[in-house]
Amino acid sequence: MKHTSIRKPLSVLLSILMVLSVFGGMAFNVSAASSGNFGDLYWAIDSEGVLTFSGSGAIPHVLYQTPVKLAERSDIKKIIINESVTSIGDNGLSELSNLTDLVFTSAPTLSDQVFRNCGKLVNVTLPEGMTTIPYLAFYWVNTLTSIKLPSTITNIAGQAFY
């Protein structure tokens, strides 16, 4: 009798484990949206692939090592950098293979290789107040056909468009 009382719960548990093993490797994507923060600077990626930065502070260097993981990077098609973003670190927004649009509502300080290898970036309008385009800023952005520079640009570093 004791064996039959253990067999039924054990068989139910094994059935559940089998079902989980079948579906466990599947990813259920409820929404492409995700968000997070770097201190007081907040980011959000919506289901249309728009990455928006708000709050205040700096976008860190090598963004793919932060909460915006590499898997999400291919979803990013547009970036909106709001007025309180102070700077973007080295390689901060690089390797975004599907990025087509950049929208600045502020003039953050840009660091080296900031938009490196953004393979679908075509048109860029840099904001008034920006003074420098850093070294290798648009390195391997072979699709760039138009860039509008503000009157405040005083320095374009070597190989900025290499």
Side-chain angles (χ1 to χ4, degrees):
M1 290 287 228
K2 287 184 181 180
H3 293 293
T4 57
S5 63
I6 293 175
R7 286 185 186 166
K8 190 169 187 172
L10 185 59
S11 67
V12 169
L13 178 62
L14 288 175
S15 298
I16 291 170
L17 289 175
M18 286 175 43
V19 168
L20 289 176
S21 70
V22 169
F23 293 108
M26 293 182 172
F28 295 97
N29 189 8
V30 175
S31 169
S34 61
S35 62
N37 68 296
F38 314 108
D40 291 333
L41 180 68
Y42 297 90
W43 61 268
I45 303 171
D46 69 18
S47 60
E48 301 296 316
V50 178
L51 170 60
T52 303
F53 289 96
S54 60
S56 62
I59 297 171
H61 75 289
V62 194
L63 189 60
Y64 61 84
Q65 292 179 350
T66 63
V68 182
K69 299 297 184 205
L70 195 56
E72 295 170 338
R73 295 170 68 76
S74 64
D75 294 337
I76 299 169
K77 296 176 183 140
K78 179 178 184 178
I79 295 176
I80 300 172
I81 300 170
N82 286 320
E83 60 276 347
S84 52
V85 174
T86 56
S87 63
I88 305 172
D90 291 348
N91 297 299
L93 298 173
S94 65
E95 305 290 332
L96 298 170
S97 60
N98 289 310
L99 178 66
T100 59
D101 296 305
L102 284 171
V103 176
F104 291 91
T105 61
S106 68
T109 302
L110 302 179
S111 298
D112 293 345
Q113 300 187 48
V114 66
F115 303 113
R116 174 181 51 87
N117 204 20
C118 290
K120 292 186 179 176
L121 193 56
V122 178
N123 299 307
V124 174
T125 300
L126 298 178
E128 284 296 323
M130 190 171 284
T131 58
T132 301
I133 300 175
Y135 175 72
L136 297 174
F138 294 95
Y139 179 69
W140 282 110
V141 181
N142 301 328
T143 54
L144 192 61
T145 58
S146 171
I147 185 162
K148 293 180 184 173
L149 302 177
S151 61
T152 52
I153 290 287
T154 56
N155 180 35
I156 298 176
Q159 300 180 332
F161 298 96
Y162 182 76

